[in-house]
Amino acid sequence: MKSAYDEMLAADQQVRAQYQTYQRWLAQQPHELMQARRAEAEMIFRRVGITFAVYGAKDEDGAGTERLIPFDLIPRVIPQAEWAAMEAGLAQRVTALNRFIDDVYHGQEILKAGIVPAEQVLKNAQFRPQMMGVNVPGGVYSHISGIDIVRAGAADGQGEYYVLEDNLRVPSGVSYMLENRKMMMRLFPELFAMHRVAPVAHYPDLLLETLRAVAPAGVNEPTVVVLTPGMYNSAYFEHAFLAQQMGVELVEGQDLFVKEGFVYMRTTQGPRRVDVIYRRVDDDFLDPSVFRADSTLGCAGLLDVYRAGNITLSNAVGTGIADDKSIYPYVPKMIEFYLGEKPILNNVPTWLCREPDDLAYVLAHMHELVVKEVHGAGGYGMLVGPAATKAEVEEFKAVVKANPTNYIAQPTLSLSSCPTFVESGIAPRHIDLRPYVLSSGKQVQTVPGGLTRVALKEGSLVVNSSQGGGTKDTWVLED
Protein backbone atom coordinates (compact mmCIF):
# COMPACT_ATOMS: atom_id res chain seq x y z
CA MET A 1 0.00 0.00 0.00
CA LYS A 2 1.27 3.50 -0.84
CA SER A 3 2.09 5.72 2.13
CA ALA A 4 -0.86 7.80 3.31
CA TYR A 5 -1.59 11.48 2.81
CA ASP A 6 0.24 13.42 5.54
CA GLU A 7 -1.63 16.40 6.99
CA MET A 8 1.59 18.34 7.66
CA LEU A 9 4.03 17.25 4.95
CA ALA A 10 3.57 17.08 1.17
CA ALA A 11 5.11 14.18 -0.77
CA ASP A 12 8.29 16.21 -1.38
CA GLN A 13 8.55 16.75 2.42
CA GLN A 14 7.67 20.44 2.06
CA VAL A 15 5.56 21.67 4.97
CA ARG A 16 1.97 22.47 3.96
CA ALA A 17 1.01 26.15 4.25
CA GLN A 18 -1.32 25.75 7.25
CA TYR A 19 1.44 24.09 9.31
CA GLN A 20 4.44 26.29 8.44
CA THR A 21 4.31 28.61 11.48
CA TYR A 22 3.61 25.68 13.82
CA GLN A 23 6.37 23.52 12.35
CA ARG A 24 8.97 26.30 12.82
CA TRP A 25 7.93 26.52 16.47
CA LEU A 26 7.95 22.73 16.92
CA ALA A 27 11.48 22.40 15.50
CA GLN A 28 12.74 24.60 18.34
CA GLN A 29 11.14 22.55 21.16
CA PRO A 30 13.47 20.13 23.00
CA HIS A 31 12.18 16.54 23.27
CA GLU A 32 12.47 16.73 27.08
CA LEU A 33 10.22 19.81 27.21
CA MET A 34 7.52 18.10 25.13
CA GLN A 35 7.74 15.02 27.36
CA ALA A 36 7.32 17.20 30.44
CA ARG A 37 4.30 18.93 28.88
CA ARG A 38 2.73 15.56 28.08
CA ALA A 39 3.23 14.39 31.68
CA GLU A 40 1.68 17.66 32.91
CA ALA A 41 -1.35 17.17 30.64
CA GLU A 42 -1.83 13.62 31.93
CA MET A 43 -1.62 14.76 35.55
CA ILE A 44 -4.22 17.51 34.98
CA PHE A 45 -6.60 15.24 33.08
CA ARG A 46 -6.36 12.69 35.89
CA ARG A 47 -6.97 15.33 38.54
CA VAL A 48 -10.02 16.71 36.73
CA GLY A 49 -11.32 13.15 36.24
CA ILE A 50 -11.37 13.06 32.45
CA THR A 51 -11.61 9.30 32.14
CA PHE A 52 -13.90 6.78 30.51
CA ALA A 53 -14.96 3.40 31.83
CA VAL A 54 -13.78 0.38 29.87
CA TYR A 55 -16.62 -2.13 29.48
CA GLY A 56 -15.67 -5.66 30.40
CA ALA A 57 -12.26 -4.67 31.77
CA LYS A 58 -11.55 -5.36 35.46
CA ASP A 59 -8.72 -4.42 37.78
CA GLU A 60 -7.03 -6.81 40.23
CA ASP A 61 -9.91 -6.44 42.72
CA GLY A 62 -12.52 -7.25 40.09
CA ALA A 63 -13.77 -3.66 39.86
CA GLY A 64 -14.39 -1.95 36.53
CA THR A 65 -11.43 0.00 35.20
CA GLU A 66 -11.27 3.62 34.16
CA ARG A 67 -8.77 4.87 31.63
CA LEU A 68 -7.42 8.20 30.52
CA ILE A 69 -7.87 8.87 26.82
CA PRO A 70 -4.31 9.67 25.72
CA PHE A 71 -3.92 13.29 24.62
CA ASP A 72 -1.46 14.17 21.88
CA LEU A 73 0.35 17.49 21.97
CA ILE A 74 0.55 18.07 18.20
CA PRO A 75 -2.65 19.63 16.81
CA ARG A 76 -4.41 18.73 13.61
CA VAL A 77 -4.62 21.93 11.53
CA ILE A 78 -7.33 22.57 8.91
CA PRO A 79 -7.24 25.62 6.59
CA GLN A 80 -10.33 27.87 6.56
CA ALA A 81 -11.31 27.10 2.94
CA GLU A 82 -11.26 23.33 3.59
CA TRP A 83 -13.35 23.76 6.71
CA ALA A 84 -15.91 25.97 4.94
CA ALA A 85 -16.53 23.24 2.32
CA MET A 86 -16.74 20.55 5.03
CA GLU A 87 -19.14 22.64 7.12
CA ALA A 88 -21.46 23.10 4.13
CA GLY A 89 -21.36 19.34 3.49
CA LEU A 90 -22.16 18.58 7.13
CA ALA A 91 -25.16 20.93 7.18
CA GLN A 92 -26.46 19.39 3.94
CA ARG A 93 -26.05 15.84 5.22
CA VAL A 94 -27.63 16.38 8.65
CA THR A 95 -30.57 18.27 7.07
CA ALA A 96 -31.23 15.36 4.68
CA LEU A 97 -30.92 12.78 7.49
CA ASN A 98 -33.46 14.67 9.60
CA ARG A 99 -35.82 14.83 6.61
CA PHE A 100 -35.38 11.08 6.15
CA ILE A 101 -36.24 10.27 9.79
CA ASP A 102 -39.30 12.53 9.62
CA ASP A 103 -40.38 10.81 6.39
CA VAL A 104 -39.88 7.32 7.87
CA TYR A 105 -42.28 8.13 10.72
CA HIS A 106 -44.80 9.92 8.52
CA GLY A 107 -45.42 9.54 4.75
CA GLN A 108 -42.56 7.11 3.98
CA GLU A 109 -42.23 8.68 0.52
CA ILE A 110 -38.62 7.51 0.09
CA LEU A 111 -39.72 3.92 0.75
CA LYS A 112 -42.63 4.20 -1.71
CA ALA A 113 -40.20 5.56 -4.31
CA GLY A 114 -38.04 2.45 -3.85
CA ILE A 115 -34.93 4.50 -3.08
CA VAL A 116 -34.40 2.88 0.33
CA PRO A 117 -35.72 -0.71 0.59
CA ALA A 118 -38.71 -0.74 2.95
CA GLU A 119 -37.58 -3.87 4.79
CA GLN A 120 -34.22 -2.18 5.55
CA VAL A 121 -36.18 0.36 7.59
CA LEU A 122 -39.32 -1.35 8.85
CA LYS A 123 -37.56 -4.53 10.02
CA ASN A 124 -34.62 -2.62 11.47
CA ALA A 125 -33.93 -3.00 15.21
CA GLN A 126 -33.70 0.81 15.47
CA PHE A 127 -37.13 1.45 13.89
CA ARG A 128 -39.63 2.51 16.58
CA PRO A 129 -43.26 1.96 15.49
CA GLN A 130 -44.32 4.00 18.56
CA MET A 131 -43.06 7.11 16.72
CA MET A 132 -45.32 6.73 13.68
CA GLY A 133 -47.26 9.96 13.16
CA VAL A 134 -45.58 11.73 16.09
CA ASN A 135 -44.63 15.32 15.25
CA VAL A 136 -41.45 16.67 16.82
CA PRO A 137 -40.54 20.39 17.08
CA GLY A 138 -39.26 21.74 13.77
CA GLY A 139 -39.24 18.23 12.29
CA VAL A 140 -35.78 17.76 13.82
CA TYR A 141 -34.92 14.37 15.29
CA SER A 142 -31.14 14.60 15.61
CA HIS A 143 -30.40 17.90 17.36
CA ILE A 144 -26.82 16.82 18.11
CA SER A 145 -25.05 14.82 15.40
CA GLY A 146 -21.48 13.53 15.36
CA ILE A 147 -20.37 12.84 11.78
CA ASP A 148 -17.15 10.82 11.43
CA ILE A 149 -14.95 12.07 8.59
CA VAL A 150 -11.69 10.70 7.22
CA ARG A 151 -9.31 11.98 4.61
CA ALA A 152 -8.04 9.22 2.35
CA GLY A 153 -5.48 9.15 -0.41
CA ALA A 154 -1.84 8.53 -1.18
CA ALA A 155 0.99 10.76 0.01
CA ASP A 156 1.52 12.19 -3.47
CA GLY A 157 -2.19 13.03 -4.01
CA GLN A 158 -4.60 15.70 -2.78
CA GLY A 159 -6.44 13.54 -0.28
CA GLU A 160 -10.23 13.59 -0.25
CA TYR A 161 -12.65 13.81 2.65
CA TYR A 162 -15.21 11.00 3.10
CA VAL A 163 -17.96 10.47 5.65
CA LEU A 164 -17.22 7.19 7.41
CA GLU A 165 -20.37 7.04 9.53
CA ASP A 166 -23.19 9.12 11.00
CA ASN A 167 -23.76 9.17 14.79
CA LEU A 168 -27.25 10.49 15.43
CA ARG A 169 -28.45 8.78 18.61
CA VAL A 170 -26.22 9.88 21.48
CA PRO A 171 -22.91 11.00 19.91
CA SER A 172 -20.16 11.36 22.50
CA GLY A 173 -16.72 12.93 22.72
CA VAL A 174 -17.45 16.66 22.58
CA SER A 175 -16.15 17.19 26.12
CA TYR A 176 -12.73 15.95 24.97
CA MET A 177 -12.80 18.48 22.12
CA LEU A 178 -13.35 21.27 24.67
CA GLU A 179 -10.87 19.99 27.25
CA ASN A 180 -8.18 19.40 24.61
CA ARG A 181 -8.40 23.05 23.57
CA LYS A 182 -8.20 24.25 27.18
CA MET A 183 -5.16 22.03 27.70
CA MET A 184 -3.35 23.34 24.61
CA MET A 185 -4.00 26.95 25.65
CA ARG A 186 -2.66 26.17 29.12
CA LEU A 187 0.47 24.33 27.97
CA PHE A 188 1.35 26.41 24.90
CA PRO A 189 -0.26 29.89 25.18
CA GLU A 190 2.33 31.31 22.77
CA LEU A 191 0.93 29.18 19.93
CA PHE A 192 -2.42 30.96 20.16
CA ALA A 193 -0.66 34.33 19.84
CA MET A 194 1.05 33.03 16.66
CA HIS A 195 -2.09 31.49 15.04
CA ARG A 196 -5.65 32.72 14.60
CA VAL A 197 -7.40 29.54 15.72
CA ALA A 198 -11.21 29.54 15.52
CA PRO A 199 -12.66 29.15 19.05
CA VAL A 200 -14.68 26.16 20.28
CA ALA A 201 -15.35 27.19 23.89
CA HIS A 202 -18.82 28.51 22.99
CA TYR A 203 -20.11 25.00 22.15
CA PRO A 204 -22.02 24.59 25.47
CA ASP A 205 -23.77 27.93 24.80
CA LEU A 206 -24.76 26.80 21.30
CA LEU A 207 -25.92 23.45 22.69
CA LEU A 208 -28.12 25.12 25.32
CA GLU A 209 -29.47 27.55 22.71
CA THR A 210 -30.35 24.58 20.45
CA LEU A 211 -32.04 22.66 23.27
CA ARG A 212 -34.06 25.68 24.37
CA ALA A 213 -35.09 26.35 20.75
CA VAL A 214 -36.76 22.92 20.45
CA ALA A 215 -38.86 23.18 23.63
CA PRO A 216 -42.57 22.29 23.35
CA ALA A 217 -44.80 24.95 21.80
CA GLY A 218 -45.80 27.73 24.17
CA VAL A 219 -42.93 27.22 26.62
CA ASN A 220 -40.96 30.48 26.76
CA GLU A 221 -38.51 29.72 29.58
CA PRO A 222 -37.85 26.00 29.19
CA THR A 223 -36.25 23.89 31.90
CA VAL A 224 -33.53 21.75 30.32
CA VAL A 225 -31.89 18.73 32.00
CA VAL A 226 -29.22 16.21 31.02
CA LEU A 227 -30.33 12.60 31.61
CA THR A 228 -27.45 10.24 32.39
CA PRO A 229 -27.49 6.47 33.00
CA GLY A 230 -25.29 7.21 36.03
CA MET A 231 -21.70 7.35 37.16
CA TYR A 232 -20.82 3.87 35.89
CA ASN A 233 -21.51 4.83 32.27
CA SER A 234 -18.37 5.15 30.12
CA ALA A 235 -19.21 8.75 29.18
CA TYR A 236 -20.36 9.94 32.62
CA PHE A 237 -17.62 12.57 32.79
CA GLU A 238 -19.05 14.12 29.63
CA HIS A 239 -22.64 14.09 30.92
CA ALA A 240 -21.62 15.88 34.13
CA PHE A 241 -19.31 18.25 32.24
CA LEU A 242 -21.96 19.37 29.73
CA ALA A 243 -24.63 19.85 32.41
CA GLN A 244 -22.20 21.97 34.43
CA GLN A 245 -21.08 23.98 31.39
CA MET A 246 -24.69 24.70 30.36
CA GLY A 247 -25.76 25.47 33.94
CA VAL A 248 -28.52 22.85 33.95
CA GLU A 249 -29.36 19.89 36.20
CA LEU A 250 -27.80 16.46 35.68
CA VAL A 251 -30.49 13.88 36.46
CA GLU A 252 -30.94 10.11 36.52
CA GLY A 253 -34.17 8.27 35.76
CA GLN A 254 -35.06 8.01 39.45
CA ASP A 255 -35.03 11.83 39.69
CA LEU A 256 -37.90 12.12 37.17
CA PHE A 257 -41.59 11.26 37.36
CA VAL A 258 -44.70 11.76 35.23
CA LYS A 259 -47.83 13.43 36.59
CA GLU A 260 -50.95 14.60 34.73
CA GLY A 261 -49.29 14.55 31.31
CA PHE A 262 -46.02 16.30 32.21
CA VAL A 263 -42.54 15.30 33.36
CA TYR A 264 -41.20 16.61 36.66
CA MET A 265 -37.89 16.34 38.48
CA ARG A 266 -37.54 16.01 42.20
CA THR A 267 -35.70 18.92 43.80
CA THR A 268 -35.10 20.04 47.38
CA GLN A 269 -37.68 22.80 46.75
CA GLY A 270 -40.28 20.28 45.51
CA PRO A 271 -41.23 19.04 42.02
CA ARG A 272 -40.19 21.14 39.01
CA ARG A 273 -41.57 20.70 35.51
CA VAL A 274 -39.05 19.65 32.85
CA ASP A 275 -39.46 20.75 29.21
CA VAL A 276 -36.37 19.43 27.39
CA ILE A 277 -34.34 16.31 28.19
CA TYR A 278 -30.90 15.99 26.59
CA ARG A 279 -30.79 12.28 27.07
CA ARG A 280 -27.61 10.20 27.06
CA VAL A 281 -29.65 7.01 27.50
CA ASP A 282 -30.52 4.69 24.59
CA ASP A 283 -34.15 4.32 23.44
CA ASP A 284 -34.48 0.84 24.95
CA PHE A 285 -33.95 2.14 28.50
CA LEU A 286 -35.97 5.39 28.36
CA ASP A 287 -39.42 4.19 29.41
CA PRO A 288 -39.87 0.79 31.12
CA SER A 289 -43.61 0.87 30.41
CA VAL A 290 -42.94 0.85 26.62
CA PHE A 291 -39.46 -0.51 25.96
CA ARG A 292 -37.40 -2.67 28.32
CA ALA A 293 -39.50 -3.40 31.39
CA ASP A 294 -36.37 -4.10 33.47
CA SER A 295 -34.83 -0.67 32.84
CA THR A 296 -34.12 1.45 35.90
CA LEU A 297 -32.42 4.17 33.83
CA GLY A 298 -35.52 5.88 32.43
CA CYS A 299 -38.88 7.20 33.56
CA ALA A 300 -42.18 5.30 33.32
CA GLY A 301 -44.78 7.17 31.26
CA LEU A 302 -42.18 9.36 29.52
CA LEU A 303 -43.19 8.26 26.00
CA ASP A 304 -46.84 9.21 26.53
CA VAL A 305 -45.81 12.73 27.54
CA TYR A 306 -43.46 12.86 24.55
CA ARG A 307 -46.11 11.72 22.07
CA ALA A 308 -48.50 14.35 23.49
CA GLY A 309 -45.91 17.06 22.75
CA ASN A 310 -45.36 18.07 26.38
CA ILE A 311 -41.64 17.21 26.51
CA THR A 312 -38.83 17.31 23.96
CA LEU A 313 -36.28 14.50 23.91
CA SER A 314 -32.96 15.29 22.35
CA ASN A 315 -32.15 13.35 20.35
CA ALA A 316 -35.60 12.05 19.43
CA VAL A 317 -36.75 8.47 19.99
CA GLY A 318 -36.25 6.46 16.81
CA THR A 319 -33.35 8.54 15.49
CA GLY A 320 -31.15 5.43 15.36
CA ILE A 321 -32.86 4.35 12.14
CA ALA A 322 -30.66 6.87 10.30
CA ASP A 323 -27.30 6.01 11.84
CA ASP A 324 -27.53 2.30 11.19
CA LYS A 325 -24.58 1.27 9.01
CA SER A 326 -26.92 -0.56 6.62
CA ILE A 327 -28.77 2.74 5.96
CA TYR A 328 -25.54 4.73 5.49
CA PRO A 329 -25.05 3.72 1.81
CA TYR A 330 -28.34 5.43 0.91
CA VAL A 331 -27.50 8.88 2.36
CA PRO A 332 -26.25 10.35 -0.96
CA LYS A 333 -29.60 9.35 -2.53
CA MET A 334 -31.45 10.92 0.41
CA ILE A 335 -29.67 14.22 -0.23
CA GLU A 336 -30.79 14.16 -3.86
CA PHE A 337 -34.34 12.99 -2.98
CA TYR A 338 -35.08 15.52 -0.21
CA LEU A 339 -32.89 18.49 -1.15
CA GLY A 340 -32.48 18.12 -4.92
CA GLU A 341 -28.71 18.57 -4.50
CA LYS A 342 -25.56 16.58 -5.18
CA PRO A 343 -23.73 15.48 -2.02
CA ILE A 344 -20.87 17.79 -1.03
CA LEU A 345 -19.23 15.07 1.11
CA ASN A 346 -18.81 11.61 -0.39
CA ASN A 347 -19.57 8.28 1.24
CA VAL A 348 -17.05 5.46 1.38
CA PRO A 349 -18.02 2.71 -1.14
CA THR A 350 -19.95 0.08 0.83
CA TRP A 351 -21.01 -3.52 0.27
CA LEU A 352 -24.20 -4.69 2.00
CA CYS A 353 -23.75 -8.32 3.00
CA ARG A 354 -27.55 -8.79 2.91
CA GLU A 355 -27.27 -8.56 -0.91
CA PRO A 356 -26.15 -11.95 -2.34
CA ASP A 357 -23.75 -10.42 -4.90
CA ASP A 358 -22.21 -8.13 -2.30
CA LEU A 359 -21.88 -11.02 0.16
CA ALA A 360 -20.07 -13.14 -2.43
CA TYR A 361 -17.64 -10.29 -3.11
CA VAL A 362 -17.01 -9.67 0.60
CA LEU A 363 -16.35 -13.34 1.35
CA ALA A 364 -13.92 -13.56 -1.57
CA HIS A 365 -12.07 -10.34 -0.64
CA MET A 366 -12.41 -10.22 3.14
CA HIS A 367 -8.63 -10.19 3.62
CA GLU A 368 -8.50 -6.73 2.00
CA LEU A 369 -11.71 -5.16 3.40
CA VAL A 370 -12.96 -3.66 6.66
CA VAL A 371 -16.09 -5.56 7.77
CA LYS A 372 -18.38 -4.01 10.41
CA GLU A 373 -21.51 -4.89 12.35
CA VAL A 374 -24.39 -2.62 11.29
CA HIS A 375 -25.11 -1.70 14.93
CA GLY A 376 -21.50 -1.92 16.10
CA ALA A 377 -19.72 0.94 17.86
CA GLY A 378 -16.43 1.67 19.57
CA GLY A 379 -14.37 -0.43 17.18
CA TYR A 380 -15.98 -3.67 18.39
CA GLY A 381 -17.53 -6.36 16.15
CA MET A 382 -15.33 -5.50 13.20
CA LEU A 383 -12.50 -7.01 11.18
CA VAL A 384 -9.71 -5.06 9.48
CA GLY A 385 -8.81 -7.60 6.79
CA PRO A 386 -5.22 -6.51 5.99
CA ALA A 387 -4.33 -6.53 9.71
CA ALA A 388 -5.97 -9.91 10.44
CA THR A 389 -4.43 -13.40 10.34
CA LYS A 390 -5.75 -16.03 7.91
CA ALA A 391 -7.38 -17.83 10.83
CA GLU A 392 -9.13 -14.62 11.99
CA VAL A 393 -10.41 -13.97 8.46
CA GLU A 394 -11.79 -17.51 8.15
CA GLU A 395 -13.41 -17.25 11.57
CA PHE A 396 -15.04 -13.93 10.65
CA LYS A 397 -16.29 -15.34 7.34
CA ALA A 398 -18.22 -17.96 9.29
CA VAL A 399 -19.74 -15.25 11.51
CA VAL A 400 -20.81 -13.16 8.50
CA LYS A 401 -22.23 -16.17 6.63
CA ALA A 402 -24.34 -17.04 9.69
CA ASN A 403 -25.95 -13.59 9.79
CA PRO A 404 -25.15 -11.59 6.61
CA THR A 405 -27.78 -8.87 7.21
CA ASN A 406 -25.80 -7.85 10.30
CA TYR A 407 -22.69 -6.78 8.33
CA ILE A 408 -21.40 -4.30 5.80
CA ALA A 409 -17.93 -4.04 4.26
CA GLN A 410 -15.81 -1.19 2.98
CA PRO A 411 -12.42 -0.90 1.29
CA THR A 412 -9.50 -0.44 3.68
CA LEU A 413 -8.92 3.28 3.26
CA SER A 414 -5.47 4.75 3.52
CA LEU A 415 -6.45 7.18 6.30
CA SER A 416 -4.44 10.38 6.39
CA SER A 417 -1.77 10.65 9.06
CA CYS A 418 -0.71 13.49 11.29
CA PRO A 419 2.59 13.96 13.15
CA THR A 420 2.10 12.66 16.68
CA PHE A 421 4.33 12.85 19.77
CA VAL A 422 5.12 9.23 20.70
CA GLU A 423 7.79 7.65 22.92
CA SER A 424 10.37 7.58 20.13
CA GLY A 425 9.73 11.19 19.13
CA ILE A 426 7.49 12.59 16.41
CA ALA A 427 5.97 10.05 14.02
CA PRO A 428 2.95 9.86 11.70
CA ARG A 429 -0.22 8.22 13.07
CA HIS A 430 -3.58 7.73 11.34
CA ILE A 431 -6.47 10.04 12.32
CA ASP A 432 -10.16 10.75 11.78
CA LEU A 433 -12.38 13.71 12.71
CA ARG A 434 -15.76 13.95 14.45
CA PRO A 435 -17.35 17.39 14.01
CA TYR A 436 -20.47 18.10 16.09
CA VAL A 437 -23.49 19.51 14.24
CA LEU A 438 -26.34 21.23 16.10
CA SER A 439 -29.79 21.48 14.46
CA SER A 440 -32.82 23.31 15.86
CA GLY A 441 -35.01 23.44 12.74
CA LYS A 442 -34.28 27.16 12.44
CA GLN A 443 -30.54 26.79 11.82
CA VAL A 444 -27.69 24.28 11.60
CA GLN A 445 -24.52 25.22 13.49
CA THR A 446 -21.10 23.60 13.83
CA VAL A 447 -18.23 24.74 16.01
CA PRO A 448 -15.05 24.89 13.89
CA GLY A 449 -13.18 21.59 13.87
CA GLY A 450 -14.34 18.83 16.19
CA LEU A 451 -12.65 15.90 17.90
CA THR A 452 -9.62 14.46 16.10
CA ARG A 453 -9.03 10.86 17.15
CA VAL A 454 -5.65 9.25 16.56
CA ALA A 455 -4.60 5.59 16.31
CA LEU A 456 -1.55 5.57 18.58
CA LYS A 457 -0.33 2.11 17.53
CA GLU A 458 2.01 2.33 14.56
CA GLY A 459 0.18 1.35 11.36
CA SER A 460 -3.18 0.93 13.14
CA LEU A 461 -6.33 2.29 11.48
CA VAL A 462 -8.54 1.91 14.60
CA VAL A 463 -8.85 5.30 16.32
CA ASN A 464 -11.51 4.41 18.92
CA SER A 465 -10.59 5.26 22.51
CA SER A 466 -11.92 1.85 23.58
CA GLN A 467 -9.24 0.31 21.35
CA GLY A 468 -6.34 2.38 22.69
CA GLY A 469 -6.74 5.45 20.48
CA GLY A 470 -6.04 8.99 21.63
CA THR A 471 -7.22 12.50 20.77
CA LYS A 472 -5.75 15.77 19.46
CA ASP A 473 -6.81 19.39 19.45
CA THR A 474 -8.27 20.39 16.07
CA TRP A 475 -7.42 23.86 14.77
CA VAL A 476 -9.39 25.59 12.07
CA LEU A 477 -7.31 28.60 11.03
CA GLU A 478 -9.26 31.82 10.55
CA ASP A 479 -6.61 33.32 8.27
Side-chain angles (χ1 to χ4, degrees), residues 268-315:
T268 51
Q269 284 84 41
R272 183 176 173 190
R273 185 178 150 187
V274 175
D275 305 296
V276 181
I277 299 176
Y278 175 27
R279 50 95 172 209
R280 300 298 295 258
V281 173
D282 286 336
D283 287 358
D284 286 340
F285 301 96
L286 274 178
D287 185 341
S289 60
V290 178
F291 300 119
R292 283 185 55 160
D294 61 343
S295 172
T296 57
L297 304 179
C299 169
L302 177 60
L303 202 71
D304 283 342
V305 181
Y306 183 48
R307 286 161 58 94
N310 291 336
I311 188 94
T312 297
L313 294 176
S314 180
N315 288 340

Side-chain angles (χ1 to χ4, degrees), residues 37 45 68 79 89 110 123-124 176 183 189 241 258 340 364 391 424 434 449 461 464 473:
R37 290 285 182 273
F45 279 150
L68 271 184
I110 202 165
K123 292 182 180 175
N124 195 295
Y176 302 110
M183 184 61 71
F241 174 88
V258 168
S424 57
R434 178 176 290 180
L461 297 170
N464 305 76
D473 193 13

